[in-house]
Amino acid sequence: MENSVLLKQVEDLAQKLEGEFEESLGTPVLKIKGTKVMEALLAAKNFSGSPCDFLHDLTAVDYPDRNEIEVVYHLTSLRGSQMLRIKATVGRDNPVIDSAVKVWAGANVMERECYDLMGVKFNGHPDLKRILLWDDFEGHPLRKDYVTESLEERKRLRVMQPDE
Amino acid sequence: MLRTEEIQINIGPQHPATHGVFRMLVNVDGEVVTKVENKVGYLHRGMEKLAESRTYPQFIPYTDRLDYLAAIVANVGYVQTVEKLMGVEVPERAEYLRVIFMELQRIASHMIATGCASSDLGGLTPFLYCMRDRERILDMFEMTIGSRLTVNLPRIGGVIEPPEEFWPALNQFLDDMPGIIDEYNGIITGNEIFQVRTKGIGKLSKEMAEQLSATGPVLRASGVKWDTRKNAPYGIYDRFDFDVPTGENGDCFDRYYVRILEMVESAKIIRQAVRDIPEGPTFAKVPKMIKPPAGEVYHRIEGVRGELGFYIVSDGTTKPYRLRMRGGSFINIQMLPLVVPGWKVGDLIAILASLDIVLPECDR
Amino acid sequence: MEVDKEKEQREVEEAVSKSVILTKVEDVLNWGRGWSFWPVSFGLACCAIEMMAAGGARFDISRFGYEVFRPTPRQADLMIVAGTVTRKMAPAIMNIYEQMAEPKYVLSMGSCANSGGPFADSYAVMPGIDSIIPVDVYVPGCPPRPEALFYGLLQLKAKVQNPAKVRLSKHGK
């Protein structure tokens, strides 16, 4: 799908933020460091001509051999059919990144799920706690070095918390 | 002066009016709700982690269980993502058959949404009408693949050819569709009690819907004319001629009525597909071991309750490195803490029924 | 005269034998329980939709007498566990099971409730409900058809109405 205006703008943004630009199966991809993510999101929201102002998805991928976690944002728009993928890398030992809740209120539950399953902490999130797993679960299951508990352990009934 | 106190009620995971195991902590002051907190996760089965130990074709039955009321739509979304990554071209007849099955599944799912919207408010009879009409569609699925609910229909590279009895049954169903819609309009839409309980309740404005990343009928009822099948088409949806119904006020009645109109549009699409379907094979040539090249892809389709997105990161082996499924219901429930405070407890049930969530999409 | 009296007495005896049954109290109670289970509406996942379809007009569950789905467990005596049991939900299930009054029965519907199903090796799923609750009947399928659910319910009825016969024929003890 030809969208040369968008591709040019993403390439310029990549140069400005010292990131990389590539195109994967028709979708422009912008790779940056985790510290520059707020500038990238705000710039992409205000692109002239084809703004990417709808947050479609927010997720994370674990790369233990590079010692990195990539937080992936997919941005689309309700005024056109463009799509942009922004990948922000954070270190695996202490994954901290700025929260996008101020830009899009819908990022709230998506960031909580990322924290729950992958362990990425978001600065500025109003209520960062576990959402899909129970509160005293140990570990972050989607990481590659997580080991699932044995059958006997999973058959045991867990203790009910007082607020359930 | 009487002193009133706020109490906290737990509308718990086991409840006849929540659509599955959904829990809400509700603060009420008398009968008026002041605060709602969603608690999900009671059906979290870890599908994304399981995907890393299953091969690509072995994962297709799990996408059925992602949204069990609209199983074929989720199946086709996943299969199209893998085909996009591998660069496989599906033959024409298979594309048309996929469209027919997806739109039939959309009609079946909207029938349950309509029946539940009425039965949650106390009108139990229309639910039985909707189940009776849905059984006709499930018979057609059973004729083709043998299963009613979790169908596992398409494969990477094509779809199965339905038997001879499928086409007369389909044509008979399409001829009966206007009568069925008239019946629903007579029992539910024109019902005065239903109108009083849903008109003007739980308004969601256009700007707030866009900020919350809401998609699907919830977004269209708030006035935004966006349908992925028309604005960012996938497969062969750009060859069909259909409207995108929108609402004006964004209240519960609009969210319900948009679904009735969408059923009519889906029937239109199926008629055009039956008229134009070509002869030919239904399977493309794919290798025996599905090994996509290393890379990543994101594909989005118009699911029944919102937009579904599939993100696959592949490292060149037969199992995916990371598979992410974006569910529409998970993001749509964020509107509950913002829209419900100020309404009464009975209205809370009406708003939840109009959202039409299904829990595995929330929890995966 | 003697013949008339005897004939009358014989008629009375015949009438009595046609309208009076002699049995144990326990058998009568079991007969009543078997013909009218009251399930608690407890659908968790996809199997719940087939349970709803079984209650619909085509596969009518009320021809067996089991259509009274009670929302509260205090008024119910059968728990149909339909769907995947996650570890987060398990304490809530125990809560509901303990609120039901004796005699109570459990029917495990679908392969997720029997043994974990396709999710048996997931980190968040309890593999089968029978590790925390005693199950009476297992209904396999993914999801089982409504007719399969009826077969399971009829097996449960046989178990309730003839407990000794079921124990002998199935378990040989």
Side-chain angles (χ1 to χ4, degrees):
Chain A
M1 184 193 59
E2 312 299 325
N3 199 346
S4 39
V5 171
L6 177 66
L7 290 175
K8 183 90 184 34
Q9 283 179 322
V10 176
E11 208 167 340
D12 293 338
L13 187 61
Q15 273 182 347
K16 200 170 86 164
L17 297 176
E18 295 157 21
E20 288 164 31
F21 164 76
E22 62 181 3
E23 198 179 325
S24 140
L25 290 169
T27 312
V29 179
L30 174 65
K31 268 172 93 142
I32 49 174
K33 281 216 164 332
T35 43
K36 309 231 183 280
V37 73
M38 286 313 287
E39 299 174 36
L41 289 175
L42 286 168
K45 191 170 179 191
N46 299 324
F47 274 164
S48 63
S50 62
C52 297
D53 51 3
F54 189 81
L55 179 69
H56 206 257
D57 193 19
L58 203 169
T59 180
V61 188
D62 188 24
Y63 291 102
D65 42 352
R66 296 202 308 239
N67 209 15
E68 288 182 339
I69 293 185
E70 260 181 16
V71 182
V72 182
Y73 299 78
H74 284 101
L75 302 176
T76 62
S77 170
L78 290 177
R79 290 155 196 82
S81 61
Q82 56 264 23
M83 178 148 76
L84 169 64
R85 189 179 306 152
I86 298 185
K87 305 211 282 194
T89 46
V90 286
R92 204 160 176 271
D93 310 310
N94 189 17
V96 178
I97 197 172
D98 289 329
S99 162
V101 167
K102 292 187 221 38
V103 186
W104 288 287
N108 198 327
V109 273
M110 299 195 245
E111 289 181 350
R112 273 181 75 180
E113 185 196 350
C114 237
Y115 165 68
D116 189 4
L117 297 178
M118 199 64 106
V120 179
K121 295 196 188 50
F122 290 88
N123 277 341
H125 192 278
D127 189 25
L128 194 68
K129 56 179 195 234
R130 287 204 185 258
I131 184 171
L132 293 179
L133 294 166
W134 53 101
D135 288 325
D136 44 352
F137 187 85
E138 279 166 24
H140 297 282
L142 273 180
R143 293 209 175 178
K144 294 284 177 184
D145 51 2
Y146 177 80
V147 173
T148 310
E149 293 157 314
S150 67
L151 206 68
E152 289 75 28
E153 180 64 39
R154 278 182 285 135
K155 280 193 181 175
R156 204 173 309 159
L157 185 66
R158 68 176 181 100
V159 178
M160 199 150 161
Q161 296 298 104
D163 66 340
E164 280 187 68
Chain B
M1 266 297 293
L2 279 177
R3 188 181 65 104
T4 59
E5 244 181 58
E6 249 185 38
I7 56 175
Q8 194 177 61
I9 310 183
N10 176 32
I11 302 193
Q14 186 255 346
H15 190 89
T18 62
H19 294 232
V21 282
F22 182 60
R23 181 174 170 222
M24 289 184 279
L25 281 174
V26 179
N27 285 13
V28 280
D29 175 22
E31 185 79 13
V32 177
V33 173
T34 49
K35 182 170 165 232
V36 173
E37 195 185 332
N38 301 334
K39 297 238 183 246
V40 290
Y42 288 92
L43 199 58
H44 176 66
R45 304 185 267 204
M47 278 198 217
E48 297 184 2
K49 181 88 183 177
L50 282 178
E52 295 170 9
S53 49
R54 306 277 187 271
T55 62
Y56 288 92
Q58 275 178 341
F59 193 70
I60 304 181
Y62 287 87
T63 51
D64 278 328
R65 277 102 183 137
L66 175 72
D67 177 358
Y68 45 73
L69 292 173
I72 295 185
V73 179
N75 278 346
V76 171
Y78 170 69
V79 161
Q80 279 181 343
T81 316
V82 179
E83 286 167 359
K84 198 164 159 181
L85 187 59
M86 283 175 63
V88 169
E89 273 263 350
V90 174
E92 288 280 310
R93 188 171 169 91
E95 294 270 24
Y96 276 93
L97 280 174
R98 278 184 185 173
V99 166
I100 293 179
F101 283 121
M102 278 208 280
E103 295 305 317
L104 273 178
Q105 182 70 276
R106 197 179 302 261
I107 296 179
S109 175
H110 280 330
M111 277 178 180
I112 288 212
T114 309
C116 284
S118 165
S119 89
D120 280 350
L121 300 180
L124 297 171
T125 316
F127 181 67
L128 296 169
Y129 280 74
C130 297
M131 292 300 256
R132 174 200 67 183
D133 297 323
R134 181 175 168 258
E135 293 287 337
R136 291 175 66 169
I137 300 184
L138 296 185
D139 275 343
M140 285 193 254
F141 292 157
E142 194 177 352
M143 242 187 254
T144 312
I145 192 114
S147 163
R148 287 153 42 101
L149 191 71
T150 49
V151 271
N152 189 10
L153 195 79
R155 297 283 178 270
I156 298 178
V159 78
I160 195 172
E161 171 78 43
E164 286 296 323
E165 311 85 68
F166 178 78
W167 301 104
L170 180 64
N171 287 328
Q172 178 69 34
F173 178 73
L174 287 174
D175 291 334
D176 291 340
M177 262 307 272
I180 294 177
I181 301 286
D182 280 339
E183 213 175 41
Y184 295 161
N185 279 338
I187 312 179
I188 314 179
T189 317
N191 189 336
E192 195 180 321
I193 304 182
F194 185 80
Q195 287 189 356
V196 163
R197 277 201 76 172
T198 51
K199 276 200 173 155
I201 311 276
K203 288 200 183 162
L204 181 69
S205 67
K206 227 194 257 200
E207 293 77 24
M208 195 177 285
E210 188 176 337
Q211 268 286 306
L212 292 175
S213 299
T215 48
V218 173
L219 180 69
R220 285 195 278 279
S222 297
V224 180
K225 207 176 174 71
W226 172 266
D227 186 334
T228 316
R229 294 175 289 172
K230 218 170 176 89
N231 302 60
Y234 51 95
I236 49 166
Y237 269 108
D238 43 359
R239 298 186 205 172
F240 296 108
D241 169 39
F242 60 99
D243 290 323
V244 174
T246 53
E248 290 159 5
N249 303 329
D251 55 7
C252 290
F253 185 77
D254 275 343
R255 286 191 278 270
Y256 152 81
Y257 198 57
V258 156
R259 294 197 173 100
I260 299 260
L261 295 174
E262 273 187 15
M263 281 201 263
V264 175
E265 299 300 323
S266 286
K268 229 195 256 181
I269 297 180
I270 302 180
R271 274 193 207 104
Q272 292 172 34
V274 170
R275 187 190 66 204
D276 295 335
I277 186 168
E279 299 292 330
T282 54
F283 264 102
K285 247 190 155 7
V286 261
K288 252 204 172 127
M289 293 269 266
I290 307 276
K291 254 198 214 178
E296 55 189 27
V297 67
Y298 185 75
H299 182 62
R300 56 181 175 144
I301 62 165
E302 180 72 29
V304 175
R305 288 169 174 78
E307 285 180 25
L308 285 175
F310 290 90
Y311 177 55
I312 298 186
V313 176
S314 147
D315 55 355
T317 59
T318 49
K319 304 188 178 166
Y321 185 79
R322 169 94 166 98
L323 174 73
R324 151 86 179 169
M325 299 174 281
R326 177 228 200 241
S329 303
F330 186 51
I331 301 178
N332 284 354
I333 53 173
Q334 290 181 99
M335 68 166 254
L336 281 175
L338 295 168
V339 166
V340 173
W343 296 105
K344 299 198 170 54
V345 176
D347 302 324
L348 164 71
I349 302 295
I351 297 175
L352 187 62
S354 73
L355 266 189
D356 188 28
I357 57 172
V358 73
L359 261 300
E361 233 181 35
C362 283
D363 295 345
R364 273 158 275 122
Chain C
M1 282 251 279
E2 287 276 334
V3 175
D4 283 332
K5 260 209 189 119
E6 230 190 84
K7 203 162 139 193
E8 206 184 304
Q9 208 175 7
R10 204 171 301 156
E11 278 174 18
V12 166
E13 264 184 33
E14 263 189 54
V16 163
S17 74
K18 279 196 191 128
S19 53
V20 172
I21 306 179
L22 289 173
T23 175
K24 296 190 293 197
V25 170
E26 203 176 308
D27 283 350
V28 169
L29 287 177
N30 279 341
W31 177 87
R33 282 174 193 144
W35 274 109
S36 68
F37 296 122
W38 282 15
V40 65
S41 48
F42 196 56
L44 295 168
C46 344
C47 285
I49 304 293
E50 287 294 51
M51 199 164 68
M52 275 162 45
R58 186 171 171 184
F59 311 97
D60 194 9
I61 204 174
S62 76
R63 47 192 165 129
F64 302 103
Y66 310 142
E67 83 277 13
V68 188
F69 281 87
R70 305 305 295 163
T72 157
R74 298 259 186 218
Q75 299 169 355
D77 62 351
L78 167 69
M79 185 157 101
I80 303 182
V81 182
T84 319
V85 178
T86 58
R87 290 163 74 193
K88 189 171 180 180
M89 183 73 191
I93 297 182
M94 280 307 286
N95 214 345
I96 293 178
Y97 183 70
E98 281 158 9
Q99 284 180 20
M100 284 163 61
E102 292 281 347
K104 54 191 173 187
Y105 316 101
V106 176
L107 184 138
S108 159
M109 177 179 178
S111 49
C112 287
N114 289 346
S115 68
F119 305 100
D121 51 344
S122 161
Y123 54 86
V125 166
M126 181 174 279
I129 187 94
D130 51 2
S131 45
I132 52 175
I133 298 182
V135 174
D136 290 303
V137 175
Y138 296 86
V139 180
C142 191
R145 284 190 63 113
E147 288 104 335
L149 176 63
F150 291 158
Y151 185 68
L153 283 169
L154 292 175
Q155 295 288 80
L156 182 64
K157 177 161 88 87
K159 189 173 179 179
V160 165
Q161 288 182 337
N162 313 311
K165 195 156 81 173
V166 168
R167 252 202 320 271
L168 272 175
S169 70
K170 303 285 181 200
H171 305 285
K173 290 191 237 176

